[in-house]
Amino acid sequence: MNIILLGPAGSGKSTIAESFSKYLEDEGYSAGVVNLDSASPPRYSPISDVREFVRAEEVMEKEGLGINGALLRSMELAAEHLDDLIPKDGWDFVIYDTPGQLELFMYTSFGRELVSRLESFTVGVFLADSTRVTSPSTYSAMIAQSAIVTLMLEIPSITAFNKSDRARVKEFEHYARELEGEGVLGEFFEKLLKFVEATSVIYRPVLVSAKTGEGFDELFSAVNEVFCACGDLS
Ligand code: GTP
């Protein structure tokens, strides 16, 4: 199975890629991480690494681009190396660690190209940063972002709120209640809930900590639930 980790910069994708792969190994599975972030060398040992083919800092220099333009261009260049990046060995789980600039998945075909080349079942895990949930509107913005990115990739997905050792997000209904009677925002939130319910196999957010491993059992169950639900649907 493939797990594509998505989410904004700093939400903890690289940290959870490493710790969740170790968790899977402790559960008796073979698990490896593929680094797709061309901007910085990973702290873990990847089974394949986009930086062997494309480095954002070199693209900046060669093509005279700023950091954001270089990241977009790096994704286009990386797409040419997908055959080398996707591992061929029989891993039980391959985790793809992606760059935090979500527009890369909206404005380049890299994400879809990757998904179309993956032969086994693929699930997206959108990682949000719990410490950044400061209001019902930041919560709904994260849920909306998760839904949009995974719709763009056309894969079933789970939203996981990371850093639960530092801050704990509340249930969806809590934020919905806070927004009741709040006019346009409240109405938007209500519609968003229906949208998320309609577009996600699992719409309840999972709380995790990449640092302590809290919530990993639940995340693993959610991944399996998505697999089974999609299996039943096909
Ligand atoms: P980009 O590569 O910029 O997209 O970031 P990322 O999403 O890969 O985040 P990364 O794993 O680099 O983590 C960002 C920071 O958050 C680091 O300082 C991590 O140590 C910290 N961090 C990640 N997960 C957790 C967590 O569960 N709890 C706490 N307290 N800190 C965390």
Side-chain angles (χ1 to χ4, degrees):
M1 190 191 299
N2 303 293
I3 300 176
I4 304 185
L5 287 174
L6 301 152
S11 59
K13 296 178 295 298
S14 302
T15 311
I16 207 167
E18 185 176 21
S19 54
F20 195 61
S21 66
K22 284 197 184 122
Y23 165 89
L24 291 170
E25 280 178 348
D26 290 347
E27 292 291 305
Y29 299 100
S30 59
V33 183
V34 173
N35 176 45
L36 295 178
D37 187 350
S38 62
S40 51
R43 293 182 295 270
Y44 49 82
S45 302
I47 50 174
S48 62
D49 187 353
V50 71
R51 284 179 58 83
E52 279 179 24
F53 307 100
V54 186
R55 294 182 180 206
E57 65 275 19
E58 289 171 9
V59 175
M60 270 175 91
E61 207 177 298
K62 264 194 215 144
E63 305 205 13
L65 295 165
I67 183 65
N68 292 315
L71 282 168
L72 274 172
R73 181 76 188 117
S74 298
M75 293 304 263
E76 284 165 3
L77 295 170
E80 293 164 22
H81 300 280
L82 278 172
D83 279 345
D84 301 306
L85 286 166
I86 297 169
K88 285 164 192 67
D89 297 332
W91 295 90
D92 293 323
F93 290 90
V94 177
I95 300 177
Y96 289 85
D97 180 16
T98 68
Q101 288 70 19
L102 293 172
E103 63 272 27
L104 299 180
F105 292 92
M106 293 178 172
Y107 305 133
T108 76
S109 57
F110 180 85
R112 281 195 194 202
E113 192 99 354
L114 168 69
V115 169
S116 72
R117 303 267 191 111
L118 297 175
E119 282 169 8
S120 45
F121 184 79
T122 301
V123 60
V125 172
F126 184 94
L127 209 61
D129 184 339
S130 305
T131 65
R132 300 205 180 273
V133 179
T134 51
S135 62
S137 43
T138 50
Y139 180 83
S140 36
M142 283 181 200
I143 295 275
Q145 213 174 29
S146 170
I148 289 166
V149 173
T150 50
L151 274 179
M152 290 294 292
L153 293 184
E154 297 180 3
I155 51 175
S157 71
I158 296 157
T159 305
F161 281 89
N162 188 33
K163 309 193 186 178
S164 61
D165 57 299
R166 287 190 52 206
R168 298 186 73 79
V169 298
K170 304 208 170 58
E171 294 288 312
F172 203 104
E173 290 73 19
H174 167 86
Y175 299 104
R177 266 196 310 276
E178 274 197 19
L179 283 172
E180 249 167 28
E182 291 290 316
V184 175
L185 194 56
E187 259 176 54
F188 169 73
F189 197 77
E190 205 187 314
K191 287 185 178 136
L192 179 66
L193 175 57
K194 292 203 174 89
F195 173 72
V196 173
E197 275 178 335
T199 53
S200 315
V201 178
I202 294 180
Y203 70 91
R204 65 171 193 280
V206 178
L207 309 193
V208 292
S209 167
K211 278 265 166 87
T212 67
E214 184 195 337
F216 279 9
D217 288 342
E218 207 198 335
L219 179 61
F220 187 45
S221 304
V223 165
N224 281 315
E225 230 178 286
V226 170
F227 177 64
C228 294
C230 291
D232 285 349
L233 292 173
S234 62

